[in-house]
Amino acid sequence: MYKAFFNLTRNPFDLTPDPTCFVPTRRHNEALVALHYGIRRHKGFVVLTGEVGTGKTLLLRCLIGLLKGSKDVAYAYLFNGRLSPTEFLQYILSDFGLPTSGKNKSDLLFDLGQFLISRGSRKMTTVLIVDEAHLLSADLLEEIRLLSNLETDDDKLLQIVLVGQPELDEKLDSVGLRQLKQRIAVRTQLGSLDADETNRYIHQRLQIAGGNLCSTPLFSTQTISAVYRHSRGLPRLINTICENALITAYARQLPTIPPDVIEDVAKEFRLNVVCSPEFEKSEGSNELDAQRITNLLHELYTALRRPIAGEADLGAAITVEAGKHEPYI
């Protein structure tokens, strides 16, 4: 819509993780090198974590692009970990091109083992990439750890890449997953961009989209400073702000994007709204509150079950009859 107006050949700030739009920063380069090294050197477990919007999935797409260029590499890519252990095995075997219909868990494990041994004997690399790994249950993470037992005396047959938000770090720090944590050979993190990186990121995305850097810049220094302030250096938010700023400027027929447009976009997207700690505390304490309510109901029920002292002339106690739902209280 606005490409012709701004003399661009493509949308520069699409949210889709397109490797052709990858703008390398120091952190992203280090993370990509670490992931590639861990896989090609058969280190076993490799972990990448980063906050929401730091570019983890885009980095994975770049990694997969590198792996596709090697004829000796096969990979399975799992992007949704809401699976049972059996469904998980069915998914990855299917992604490796192995049949799974009518097979139970032991059959699937046997077939996977034979597949890995066959490839390992030919010095080939097999990779399991798990995106959104912070959503994996402890049971499924343990299942993944057990897959790493498929190894020879001198080599790991399956290279496992876990990618997720900082909650993945918290899970891996738990006592129940200490065996998995100790097996991690390469670990790296992604963070936000700093002010200089944000400036270079915006200019390079515009250049990739055909923008003329020799002419008057679409985003002035003051405008980019406003983008950085509202995005906090998160690439996804930078894309969102800049994309909508271009749309707004086009609608207003502005040749460049002034800082006030960024302020308007940030307001529309409520980027100045911070989640209330009280709300987070309330959300986190739901289970505790439910337990307290249960305890109170139990105490009330117990009190009602005790004999109630009658009038003196009755000479007997009156008890409260239990309802038909008593077994469920």
Side-chain angles (χ1 to χ4, degrees):
M1 179 173 64
Y2 56 73
K3 290 184 294 184
F5 183 77
F6 291 115
N7 296 315
L8 301 173
T9 58
R10 59 179 296 174
N11 294 349
F13 301 105
D14 275 341
L15 293 180
T16 53
D18 184 354
T20 61
C21 295
F22 178 62
V23 177
T25 66
R26 178 182 59 82
R27 290 190 183 96
H28 287 78
N29 277 336
E30 290 174 354
L32 185 57
V33 168
L35 294 177
H36 192 260
Y37 171 83
I39 290 171
R40 298 304 288 171
R41 293 295 180 178
H42 290 195
K43 293 297 183 179
F45 269 106
V46 180
V47 173
L48 166 67
T49 54
E51 192 50 78
V52 175
T54 50
K56 300 183 296 299
T57 300
L58 175 57
L59 199 69
L60 277 185
R61 296 288 176 86
C62 294
L63 174 66
I64 290 173
L66 292 175
L67 297 179
K68 284 181 177 178
S70 303
K71 295 182 179 180
D72 65 323
V73 177
Y75 68 89
Y77 177 47
L78 177 67
F79 56 88
N80 186 342
R82 301 286 192 179
L83 303 171
S84 68
T86 300
E87 290 171 336
F88 165 74
L89 288 172
Q90 289 172 333
Y91 182 94
I92 63 173
L93 263 70
S94 178
D95 217 19
F96 280 134
L98 301 175
T100 61
S101 179
K103 296 186 177 182
N104 58 30
K105 184 178 178 181
S106 61
D107 294 333
L108 296 170
L109 285 171
F110 179 81
D111 289 351
L112 179 60
Q114 294 300 306
F115 176 72
L116 294 176
I117 291 171
S118 173
R119 290 184 58 82
S121 66
R122 290 175 285 159
K123 304 299 181 183
M124 304 182 84
T125 301
T126 311
V127 190
L128 169 61
I129 301 172
V130 183
D131 200 359
E132 304 289 349
H134 56 280
L135 297 176
L136 297 177
S137 65
D139 288 342
L140 199 47
L141 283 169
E142 180 63 10
E143 199 77 35
I144 292 174
R145 181 188 72 82
L146 292 173
L147 290 181
S148 67
N149 288 334
L150 295 165
E151 58 187 3
T152 63
D153 291 338
D154 58 355
D155 201 11
K156 299 285 187 183
L157 296 179
L158 182 63
Q159 314 312 310
I160 300 171
V161 181
L162 300 179
V163 180
Q165 296 171 18
E167 292 87 337
L168 176 61
D169 287 327
E170 297 174 8
K171 284 190 175 183
L172 295 174
D173 287 338
S174 65
V175 175
L177 294 173
R178 63 188 183 280
Q179 292 188 75
L180 172 54
K181 182 179 179 180
Q182 290 178 8
R183 294 194 181 196
I184 298 172
V186 178
R187 199 161 187 169
T188 186
Q189 290 184 330
L190 285 182
S192 302
L193 308 184
D194 60 27
D196 291 337
E197 289 172 332
T198 299
N199 181 72
R200 185 165 63 85
Y201 178 88
I202 291 174
H203 284 304
Q204 285 197 226
R205 294 286 293 227
L206 288 169
Q207 187 176 20
I208 292 170
N212 184 3
L213 298 183
C214 296
S215 61
T216 303
L218 285 177
F219 292 79
S220 67
T221 301
Q222 293 79 9
T223 301
I224 292 177
S225 295
V227 173
Y228 174 70
R229 184 174 69 256
H230 288 292
S231 69
R232 304 183 303 281
L234 295 172
R236 183 181 295 162
L237 286 182
I238 294 173
N239 289 344
T240 298
I241 294 171
C242 291
E243 170 78 3
N244 284 273
L246 288 171
I247 295 172
T248 301
Y250 168 74
R252 298 177 184 178
Q253 295 294 289
L254 301 175
T256 60
I257 291 84
D260 63 285
V261 168
I262 304 300
E263 300 299 330
D264 291 343
V265 170
K267 184 178 180 180
E268 289 174 359
F269 278 87
R270 298 173 59 81
L271 296 181
N272 60 332
V273 177
V274 179
C275 184
S276 170
E278 289 76 13
F279 176 77
E280 292 182 353
K281 182 179 179 181
S282 174
E283 289 290 302
S285 62
N286 282 345
E287 185 176 345
L288 180 59
D289 290 343
Q291 183 61 46
R292 287 173 178 168
I293 292 172
T294 301
N295 292 340
L296 287 172
L297 288 173
H298 178 72
E299 292 173 6
L300 177 60
Y301 169 72
T302 303
L304 290 174
R305 288 279 303 188
R306 287 198 295 267
I308 301 175
E311 297 296 332
D313 57 337
L314 291 176
I318 303 173
T319 59
V320 177
E321 181 181 357
K324 63 179 181 180
H325 296 297
E326 174 185 335
Y328 306 104
I329 297 179

